[in-house]
Amino acid sequence: MNEKKTKNILILGANSGMARALARELASPQVQLILASRKVAELEKSAKDLEIRGQGPGPKVISFNALETGQHEQFLSQVLSQVGTLDEAYLFFGRLHGQTEAQKDFNLAREMIMTNYVGAVSILERVAAYMEKRGQGMIIGISSVAGDRGRQSNYLYGSSKAGLTVYLQGLRNRLARSGVHVLTVKPGFVDTPMTRNKKKGLLFTKPEVIAKGILKAVRARKNLVYLPCFWKYIMLIIRSVPESVFKKLKM
Amino acid sequence: MANDIIGRPVWPPEIEITGWGRYPASPARVFPVQSTAEPGQVLKARRGKSLLGRGAGRAYGDAALNRSNFCLDFTPYNRFIGFDEQTGILRAEAGVTLEQILGVFVPRGWFLPVTPGTKYPTLGGSVACDVHGKSSYSLSHYVERLHMLLADGSYVTCSAENLPDLFWATVGGMGLTGLILEVELKMMRIETCLIKYQGVKARNLEEIFQLFEETEEWPMTVAWIDCLARGKNLGRSIMMRGAFARQNELKSIAQHSRARSVPNKGKLAIPFAFPAWSLNQLSVAAFNTCYYGKHPRCLNTIMDYDSFFYPLDSILQWNLIYGGPGLVQYQFLIPLEQGFEGVKTLLEEISATGRASFLAVLKKFGNIQNPGMISFPAPGYFLALDFPIGKGGILKHMDQWDKLVLKYGGRIYLAKDARMKQESFNAMYPRLNEWRAVKQKYDPENVFNSDLARRLGLEVKLGG
């Protein structure tokens, strides 16, 4: 069983509810995880948890701040100096503020855009360059169904995710011939601390379910996946409403 | 806790929550706890609101409700912190569920030292209710240390040696002494995770009590009891006893292959609340008669631990079969010496009301004292019954039953309770004043509070 080479997997935004669930699915003696986020003390705790669960090498922990794009180059070198090579990179980080609050206070809107789009592009460009040169690897970006169509109730967050979606699409196109795969994940409503301010209805899914869905899509080398899959159909309907009608809807 | 970009705390909206019985419901702001600093941040930002740690919401009544105040949802706070293979001591964040613990540790030859009849509660909630199972010890017996956040914002570690007053007020203390952040629990070594099981029929109450007397060699016992049977059949039941099977007791290769594996059976989910009439005296009586009738006189087998400990967990959301208004569980204890008389009297009283309890479980808790100040488990016989709320008439009957429980020196289990009166409660728990003194010492302003605490007076009297 141990003949299999250890895979090095980077998780950006490893303190998010979905990332934690995914890391638990991944933890095994054959996987070396690298957890990255701003809160290093929390990551150390998660790393210990994953070590106990996975009975493998303990994950590495590296401080990462999506907003500090000037540090991203150095961050990646630090990752590579610790584990040698990088096989997969998951991008989980993201900020969600309430639409009305963000309309009143542009600082909130800017933080979402800078984190969800600018920060993501900054780090992924560097990871992509590394993987392209190496001729192998996989990038998994967590976008959102909110990026599929702008709605009055969350277009500031949604547009930052729409930018990420299109970015990942272009990156996939660019890297296709180099053997690097890009997967875009669009979760619907996930019951995590990020969505703490929402009333949880039937459409909410546990992060553990999303994590399993992501891994399934990774194994199948999918390009785009909605999780859970019924969101594919919900968004198909939402996208196909003519703009002249859509603009009058309360959504 | 969430802060916006300029550091203002973001409060979650008020939402209606309930316990497992779905009665009563109560609105509260529920803060998810994911990182170590969050409980302290909520404590600082509470602005006069009271706090209550909430786990999986598996207590039946109002134990994890805090009307118009704050609840801290600990379920995302569920990491393992350390495990010592030599001593078996597991340290984990309070929100880890018993199911998650079993999933990781059963394959390594460890089991929970005590488990209630469901694996879905959190570890912290289990400590706060001092849960019991089929053995004669409650969970607190195996709790090495608790890491807590207190009302004054301090972080402390308590145990039977260090701050024993806080420790024995916290186990079974329903979350009212402080927030349990991390628990250190002594796990139990097992050779296999399969159960050597014996089911024995008892025709009446005398027979089942006789069986309880002679089953001392079985570490885990519980009886399913037909509480609609009357007259000479009163107390007809099936004794279910078990022990973890040893390697050499396994008979087949199939069994050996399952000796360390987590059972993974399909689960049935109840999709919506059944109509209130679907569980009535006739349907329950019919079920009970079939269930009793089909069981052989004595059945010996090997079964997986899910089937033995958690039969109801295979039906997700079984609480919905009790209909829209929800259910109330009535679980009481009668001390050993009065056990037979007390259980007999209450069973007669309950079956005379003609109320159908679908689930009725009797067990004996051996002669081991529990130092928890308001912890439920103590030497005696426990009877647990579920009743649909229906139109609410059942609650009046329960007030009558309380008087009988008191007459025999018994008590009601707070984790199951949703309706007991304060006077009854005061008379049931003899060490209540001792507990109140500890509450006064560590939480004089009732920073930690709950609907249950307000209903039963488990508070410090302010200004008095």
Side-chain angles (χ1 to χ4, degrees):
Chain A
M1 285 246 303
N2 284 329
E3 299 153 22
K4 234 168 118 187
K5 189 179 151 292
T6 307
K7 229 188 210 178
N8 298 326
I9 301 178
L10 171 65
I11 301 181
L12 297 155
N15 268 325
S16 87
M18 266 189 274
R20 278 193 190 175
L22 181 97
R24 285 179 179 179
E25 290 288 328
L26 286 173
S28 84
Q30 288 81 41
V31 168
Q32 174 65 60
L33 292 171
I34 306 108
L35 309 180
S37 126
R38 283 171 305 160
K39 294 178 187 162
V40 178
E42 283 300 309
L43 289 184
E44 300 279 5
K45 246 182 142 186
S46 295
K48 184 67 195 170
D49 171 68
L50 292 165
E51 191 185 331
I52 293 171
R53 285 167 191 267
Q55 292 180 297
K60 309 263 186 223
V61 166
I62 304 181
S63 167
F64 172 79
N65 187 339
L67 294 173
E68 292 172 3
T69 52
Q71 308 288 319
H72 288 181
E73 186 77 52
Q74 200 200 333
F75 166 79
L76 186 62
S77 336
Q78 204 185 341
V79 170
L80 292 172
S81 72
Q82 289 215 18
V83 293
T85 55
L86 190 57
D87 300 290
E88 290 172 15
Y90 287 82
L91 184 137
F92 275 100
F93 63 76
R95 280 295 257 169
L96 171 63
H97 291 297
Q99 172 70 23
T100 40
E101 289 80 9
Q103 271 170 229
K104 283 183 204 135
D105 180 354
F106 183 70
N107 286 319
L108 300 179
R110 180 170 45 208
E111 197 199 19
M112 288 195 282
I113 297 162
M114 294 305 284
T115 308
N116 304 352
Y117 183 66
V118 178
V121 170
S122 164
I123 184 64
L124 288 189
E125 274 300 292
R126 287 162 171 99
V127 172
Y130 162 78
M131 286 183 176
E132 189 175 34
K133 199 170 154 203
R134 194 173 170 230
Q136 66 180 84
M138 187 152 178
I139 292 170
I140 300 96
I142 312 302
S143 190
S144 169
V145 294
D148 274 18
R149 189 151 196 181
R151 296 178 294 126
Q152 60 182 323
S153 60
N154 75 343
Y155 67 86
L156 286 168
Y157 172 77
S159 60
S160 70
K161 286 297 194 182
L164 178 61
T165 300
V166 175
Y167 169 76
L168 290 168
Q169 200 173 36
L171 193 63
R172 175 160 46 244
N173 187 207
R174 164 186 155 193
L175 297 175
R177 254 160 299 156
S178 65
V180 179
H181 187 73
V182 178
L183 164 65
T184 308
V185 180
K186 293 185 187 176
F189 299 155
V190 188
D191 184 6
T192 66
M194 191 198 210
T195 54
R196 55 167 60 76
N197 296 335
K198 302 238 184 294
K199 296 198 176 183
K200 305 279 160 81
L202 275 175
L203 289 175
F204 275 85
T205 311
K206 290 274 165 209
E208 290 75 21
V209 176
I210 303 289
K212 286 196 169 77
I214 293 174
L215 285 184
K216 212 172 135 198
V218 166
R219 279 187 216 110
R221 289 182 80 81
K222 291 248 174 106
N223 297 309
L224 167 67
V225 63
Y226 286 88
L227 291 174
C229 62
F230 60 79
W231 279 97
K232 184 174 169 183
Y233 306 103
I234 295 178
M235 295 321 292
L236 184 70
I237 295 164
I238 288 181
R239 280 198 314 270
S240 56
V241 178
E243 191 64 16
S244 54
V245 177
F246 196 82
K247 72 175 182 185
K248 291 175 193 148
L249 297 179
K250 282 199 169 151
M251 288 187 85
Chain B
M1 188 176 52
N3 281 298
D4 64 23
I5 197 161
I6 48 172
R8 295 171 305 197
V10 179
W11 284 2
E14 204 161 73
I15 54 169
E16 188 109 308
I17 51 174
T18 71
W20 182 241
R22 304 172 62 239
Y23 168 88
S26 186
R29 295 185 193 274
V30 182
F31 293 75
V33 175
Q34 196 180 26
S35 70
T36 312
E38 277 168 322
Q41 291 166 356
V42 179
L43 183 65
K44 273 207 188 82
R46 70 187 181 93
R47 283 197 238 147
K49 297 285 186 185
S50 67
L51 266 51
L52 179 68
R54 179 177 160 97
R58 279 276 161 162
Y60 282 64
D62 52 2
L65 308 183
N66 197 10
R67 181 174 288 274
S68 304
N69 284 278
F70 293 176
C71 285
L72 285 89
D73 172 10
F74 272 84
T75 53
Y77 196 59
N78 58 16
R79 290 171 292 192
F80 296 121
I81 295 161
F83 182 65
D84 185 333
E85 284 280 350
Q86 302 306 312
T87 59
I89 294 174
L90 169 69
R91 180 171 173 175
E93 292 176 340
V96 69
T97 66
L98 306 185
E99 183 189 29
Q100 290 163 355
I101 295 175
L102 294 173
V104 171
F105 289 97
V106 162
R108 300 176 202 179
W110 297 91
F111 209 84
L112 294 162
V114 166
T115 173
T118 166
K119 59 181 183 287
Y120 298 128
T122 62
L123 183 55
S126 299
V127 170
C129 295
D130 194 11
V131 297
H132 58 273
K134 295 174 169 58
S135 72
S136 277
Y137 289 98
S138 67
L139 188 69
S140 61
H141 186 74
Y142 302 93
V143 175
E144 295 283 321
R145 268 170 294 275
L146 294 174
H147 302 267
M148 298 178 63
L149 172 60
L150 302 183
D152 63 3
S154 62
Y155 292 84
V156 300
T157 301
C158 66
S159 66
E161 289 79 37
N162 187 39
L163 302 176
D165 59 343
L166 179 63
F167 182 79
W168 294 116
T170 300
V171 294
M174 307 310 286
L176 298 168
T177 52
L179 293 169
I180 300 171
L181 303 178
E182 293 171 9
V183 177
E184 289 183 55
L185 181 72
K186 196 169 169 65
M187 299 284 285
M188 178 173 76
R189 260 244 183 263
I190 49 169
E191 250 182 60
T192 81
C193 68
L194 297 174
I195 303 293
K196 185 175 69 170
Y197 170 85
Q198 186 174 68
V200 188
K201 260 183 174 174
R203 279 170 301 191
N204 52 42
L205 204 60
E206 280 81 6
E207 283 194 14
I208 193 68
F209 268 70
Q210 192 56 44
L211 281 169
F212 271 117
E213 291 309 315
E214 68 190 36
T215 49
E216 301 286 327
E217 74 267 33
W218 292 88
M220 299 175 289
T221 54
V222 68
W224 168 84
I225 188 161
D226 176 0
C227 66
L228 284 176
R230 297 199 208 181
K232 65 176 173 37
N233 290 330
L234 183 82
R236 100 180 151 176
S237 43
I238 298 169
M239 161 67 76
M240 301 165 170
R241 47 198 183 189
F244 280 101
R246 306 185 73 93
Q247 283 284 356
N248 59 20
E249 288 170 326
L250 301 185
K251 292 174 189 78
S252 65
I253 294 169
Q255 282 175 358
H256 278 283
S257 72
R258 290 188 298 145
R260 285 282 176 94
S261 65
V262 178
N264 186 18
K265 282 180 296 199
K267 290 188 172 56
L268 179 71
I270 305 292
F272 51 80
F274 280 19
W277 48 260
S278 52
L279 274 190
N280 57 42
Q281 198 184 351
L282 274 178
S283 66
V284 174
F287 174 86
N288 285 359
T289 302
C290 287
Y291 190 71
Y292 181 84
K294 285 186 78 172
H295 197 280
R297 179 87 188 95
C298 181
L299 172 70
N300 284 291
T301 186
I302 297 273
M303 59 167 67
D304 66 65
Y305 69 80
D306 260 357
S307 311
F308 183 68
F309 288 113
Y310 314 117
L312 277 174
D313 281 354
S314 64
I315 309 167
L316 298 173
Q317 300 187 338
W318 60 262
N319 52 349
L320 294 179
I321 67 171
Y322 285 86
L327 74 135
V328 205
Q329 188 163 84
Y330 194 78
Q331 180 165 7
F332 61 89
L333 167 169
I334 304 284
L336 287 177
E337 54 282 7
Q338 305 259 37
F340 182 77
E341 270 312 300
V343 171
K344 183 161 181 275
T345 309
L346 270 136
L347 269 181
E348 280 167 351
E349 187 71 21
I350 290 163
S351 64
T353 62
R355 295 293 180 148
S357 171
F358 189 61
L359 189 97
V361 169
L362 177 69
K363 64 187 143 207
K364 181 188 174 187
F365 207 74
N367 209 355
I368 292 150
Q369 295 303 323
N370 183 346
M373 291 174 197
I374 56 166
S375 180
F376 171 74
Y381 287 89
F382 300 16
L383 185 64
L385 308 150
D386 285 345
F387 297 93
I389 291 269
K391 295 193 178 70
I394 191 72
L395 300 175
K396 284 200 187 65
H397 287 298
M398 289 180 174
D399 290 340
Q400 293 307 310
W401 302 343
D402 285 351
K403 290 185 184 137
L404 290 172
V405 170
L406 264 174
K407 185 180 145 197
Y408 290 101
R411 55 170 76 155
I412 300 281
Y413 187 13
L414 297 185
K416 306 286 179 77
D417 179 50
R419 30 68 46 192
M420 186 176 19
K421 300 267 194 311
Q422 210 175 110
E423 308 83 73
S424 310
F425 171 66
N426 286 340
M428 283 174 186
Y429 284 82
R431 296 177 64 199
L432 199 51
N433 284 338
E434 218 178 312
W435 185 88
R436 285 213 170 92
V438 179
K439 172 82 174 167
Q440 169 80 46
K441 178 174 167 192
Y442 291 98
D443 183 18
E445 288 166 24
N446 294 319
V447 170
F448 302 105
N449 216 329
S450 68
D451 285 5
L452 177 137
R454 283 181 284 267
R455 176 168 58 83
L456 298 177
L458 277 170
E459 302 176 284
V460 174
K461 300 246 181 328
L462 296 176

